[in-house]
């Protein structure tokens, strides 16, 4: 029997489809899987890593070393790169779990070259304009000085990350690519990687040897390419229906006042589940294609919706949709001017997750 709590449907086949779309588009480049933050919130016990692996993905990116350990405990053979780098006292942990640190600074580089005796894989991140992670332009000569040691590695990947790839027209994309080209010229003969989801759809010259999609695998930012398909749907049961008389108010601080007799429904989700408080009196959910507005303030665990127009067609226990293939995570993100990344990475741990093939 199914619980009457909010639940997520996660379509693993759609993840595979999106992986294949990217693969086809990139053609010659290796398509890695960015699975940080537990596969953008969808990961539950590595279901996403597993489907990507089955789709042919061999190389994965996480942000944090703990994420890497968690995945390694379930998958022995895949390559796991840790974007946040080689930080204090981490050398032995990287070795123990066979994780690859993405080298972000000169001191990390020196430390790892000295510590790592295997000389299998080296990944170095260069900053071309994010000012976040990666070796900065002024320090590139120090990398060149270490070239002999770098060349001891079987495989060397030089990577960078684009700041504005979500906007195809942004001139900064090309500025960063040209900076990356300069680095490539100074350090030739390795493998190169520049593009995440947005960068992939900027075109061939952004692909290089490896691409690192994240959000597009999970069905977000469908505007990058029409073939990217929706992956995750969230629905919630109605747990109570109330009648509200004209002039009465709804929720904390009484931010909604009924202009007429109104029928409301209460759904068990709130800001504790990552449903932004900014959706108060602003968001909406759907029932059989009909829009039902959220009224009053979003509470920690509850939201009230106006169901007056469907009052005879909807009953306690029915499910309303928060997002699905018709009202996507991109659409839902737009409601509060946030981004689809934020929508899915904040999905509550207390929701049921149904993985579908
Ligand atoms: C998060 C991240 C990615 C994936 O980005 P998407 O926009 O989700 O495709 C790739 N590379 C780096 C360095 C990242 O931080």
């Amino acid at each position: 029997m199914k619980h009457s709590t909010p639940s997520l449907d996660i379509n693993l086949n759609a993840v595979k489809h999106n992986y294949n779309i990217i693969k086809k588009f990139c053609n010659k480049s290796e398509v890695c899987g960015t699975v940080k933050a537990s596969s953008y919130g969808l990961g539950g016990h590595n279901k996403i890593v597993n489907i990507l692996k089955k789709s042919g993905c061999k190389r994965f990116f996480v942000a944090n070393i703990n994420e890497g350990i968690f995945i390694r405990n379930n998958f022995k053979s895949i390559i796991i790169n840790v974007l946040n780098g080689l930080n204090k006292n981490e050398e032995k942990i990287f070795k123990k779990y066979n994780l690859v640190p993405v080298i972000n600074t000169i001191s990390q580089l020196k430390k790892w070259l000295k510590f790592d005796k295997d000389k299998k894989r080296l990944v170095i991140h260069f900053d071309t304009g994010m000012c976040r992670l990666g070796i900065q332009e002024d320090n590139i000569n120090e990398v060149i000085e270490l070239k002999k040691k770098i060349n001891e590695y079987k495989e060397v990947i030089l990577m960078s990350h684009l700041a504005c790839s979500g906007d195809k027209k942004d001139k900064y994309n090309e500025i960063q690519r040209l900076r990356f080209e300069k680095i490539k010229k100074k350090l030739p003969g390795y493998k190169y990687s520049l593009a995440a989801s947005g960068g992939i759809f900027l075109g061939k010259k952004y692909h290089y040897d490896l691409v690192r999609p994240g959000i597009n695998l999970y069905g977000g930012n469908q505007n990058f390419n029409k073939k990217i398909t929706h992956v995750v749907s969230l629905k919630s049961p109605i747990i109570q229906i109330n009648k509200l008389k004209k002039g009465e108010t709804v929720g904390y601080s009484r931010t909604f006042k009924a202009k007429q007799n109104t029928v409301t429904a209460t759904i068990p989700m709130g800001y504790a589940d990552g449903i932004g408080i900014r959706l108060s009196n602003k968001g909406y959910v759907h029932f059989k294609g009909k829009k039902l507005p959220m009224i009053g303030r979003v509470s920690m665990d509850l939201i009230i919706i106006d169901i007056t127009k469907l009052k005879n067609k909807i009953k306690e226990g029915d499910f309303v949709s928060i997002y699905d293939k018709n009202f996507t995570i991109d659409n839902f993100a737009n409601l509060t001017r946030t981004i689809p990344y934020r929508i899915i990475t904040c999905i509550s741990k207390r929701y049921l997750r149904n993985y579908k093939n």
Side-chain angles (χ1 to χ4, degrees):
M1 263 239 303
K2 267 207 171 140
H3 296 50
S4 254
T5 70
S7 69
L8 286 164
D9 288 333
I10 298 165
N11 184 343
L12 295 174
N13 225 5
V15 176
K16 184 175 177 174
H17 167 90
N18 291 336
Y19 183 83
N20 286 331
I21 291 296
I22 292 168
K23 194 147 188 179
K24 214 162 162 188
F25 193 80
C26 293
N27 196 343
K28 290 198 186 72
S29 312
E30 178 181 341
V31 181
C32 310
T34 304
V35 292
K36 58 199 184 191
S38 187
S39 300
Y40 291 39
L42 307 184
H45 303 295
N46 290 323
K47 287 266 196 325
I48 301 285
V49 174
N50 197 40
I51 193 73
L52 288 171
K53 184 172 168 245
K54 281 190 180 157
S55 312
C57 183
K58 296 184 181 72
R59 203 185 300 257
F60 294 80
F61 285 88
V62 295
N64 170 299
I65 190 168
N66 296 328
E67 299 176 322
I69 294 169
F70 184 73
I71 294 174
R72 177 58 78 218
N73 284 332
N74 291 287
F75 300 91
K76 296 295 158 230
S77 62
I78 59 174
I79 302 166
I80 304 171
N81 300 297
V82 179
L83 288 164
N84 285 357
L86 178 70
N87 299 296
K88 204 171 169 187
N89 299 328
E90 290 181 347
E91 295 96 318
K92 285 187 181 155
I93 306 173
F94 272 102
K95 259 296 120 198
K96 179 172 173 197
Y97 291 95
N98 187 21
L99 305 172
V100 183
V102 173
I103 300 297
N104 288 322
T105 66
I106 296 293
S107 68
Q108 288 180 18
L109 180 60
K110 287 181 176 162
K111 204 161 65 169
W112 191 242
L113 288 175
K114 205 160 157 192
F115 180 85
D116 177 32
K117 301 283 183 277
D118 299 338
K119 310 290 176 197
K120 275 213 299 249
R121 300 175 212 290
L122 183 65
V123 183
I124 309 176
H125 187 170
F126 289 89
D127 179 22
T128 54
M130 275 288 272
C131 194
R132 194 174 70 167
L133 292 173
I135 291 171
Q136 297 200 280
E137 217 170 347
D138 288 348
N139 298 326
I140 188 164
N141 285 335
E142 291 185 66
V143 181
I144 294 169
E145 282 164 23
L146 293 164
K147 227 176 136 182
K148 239 176 99 182
K149 287 223 169 94
I150 291 171
N151 289 342
E152 291 172 16
Y153 279 81
K154 274 214 191 82
E155 181 187 62
V156 179
I157 297 167
L158 308 188
M159 61 170 272
S160 190
H161 192 51
L162 298 168
C164 303
S165 65
D167 181 359
K168 283 191 165 79
K169 291 203 190 90
D170 200 307
K171 291 193 174 75
Y172 203 56
N173 293 319
E174 198 56 9
I175 291 172
Q176 282 193 271
R177 195 186 67 82
L178 293 175
R179 286 180 186 162
F180 193 57
E181 279 293 321
K182 249 196 195 158
I183 295 165
K184 189 179 167 202
K185 237 177 222 138
K186 287 185 180 172
L187 290 160
Y190 304 124
K191 285 186 176 176
Y192 303 89
S193 175
L194 180 61
S197 299
I200 289 165
F201 295 107
L202 293 176
K204 255 197 170 53
K205 58 186 181 180
Y206 286 83
H207 292 172
Y208 295 95
D209 302 289
L210 309 97
V211 295
R212 312 181 305 268
I215 194 70
N216 276 171
L217 297 173
Y218 313 114
N221 280 346
Q222 290 186 1
N223 58 313
F224 291 172
N225 187 287
K226 282 203 264 317
K227 290 184 181 144
I228 295 298
T229 189
H230 134 100
V231 168
V232 55
S233 304
L234 174 60
K235 59 184 192 295
S236 173
I238 285 170
I239 58 169
Q240 183 165 333
I241 290 178
N242 289 321
K243 291 196 171 119
L244 184 67
K245 290 202 178 72
K246 182 181 171 182
E248 286 294 323
T249 59
V250 164
Y252 286 121
S253 301
R254 308 179 68 202
T255 62
F256 178 89
K257 188 172 178 184
K259 291 196 180 76
Q260 58 192 33
N261 289 347
T262 300
V263 184
T264 72
T266 305
I267 56 174
M269 49 175 46
Y271 61 76
D273 301 302
I275 307 285
I277 201 163
R278 281 181 293 165
L279 287 170
S280 303
N281 289 307
K282 212 168 163 193
Y284 42 87
V285 301
H286 288 88
F287 183 76
K288 296 188 174 153
K290 291 247 163 38
K291 242 178 172 173
L292 299 171
M294 297 180 185
I295 56 175
R297 212 168 87 181
V298 171
S299 321
M300 184 189 293
D301 317 290
L302 297 162
I303 293 173
I304 300 146
I305 57 178
D306 182 346
I307 62 164
T308 310
K309 64 181 167 193
L310 294 176
K311 61 185 169 199
N312 300 316
K313 299 198 177 98
I314 202 164
K315 57 186 189 307
E316 286 168 12
D318 282 346
F319 277 79
V320 294
S321 167
I322 318 306
Y323 41 79
D324 57 25
K325 68 174 189 297
N326 300 314
F327 189 72
T328 64
I329 55 173
D330 294 340
N331 299 141
F332 189 70
N334 279 337
L335 279 180
T336 46
R337 294 210 194 90
T338 185
I339 53 178
Y341 300 75
R342 166 82 183 162
I343 297 299
I344 56 175
T345 54
C346 295
I347 291 171
S348 186
K349 297 261 188 301
R350 64 186 174 180
Y351 292 168
L352 293 177
R353 281 163 163 74
N354 307 311
Y355 291 92
K356 300 193 167 167
N357 278 308

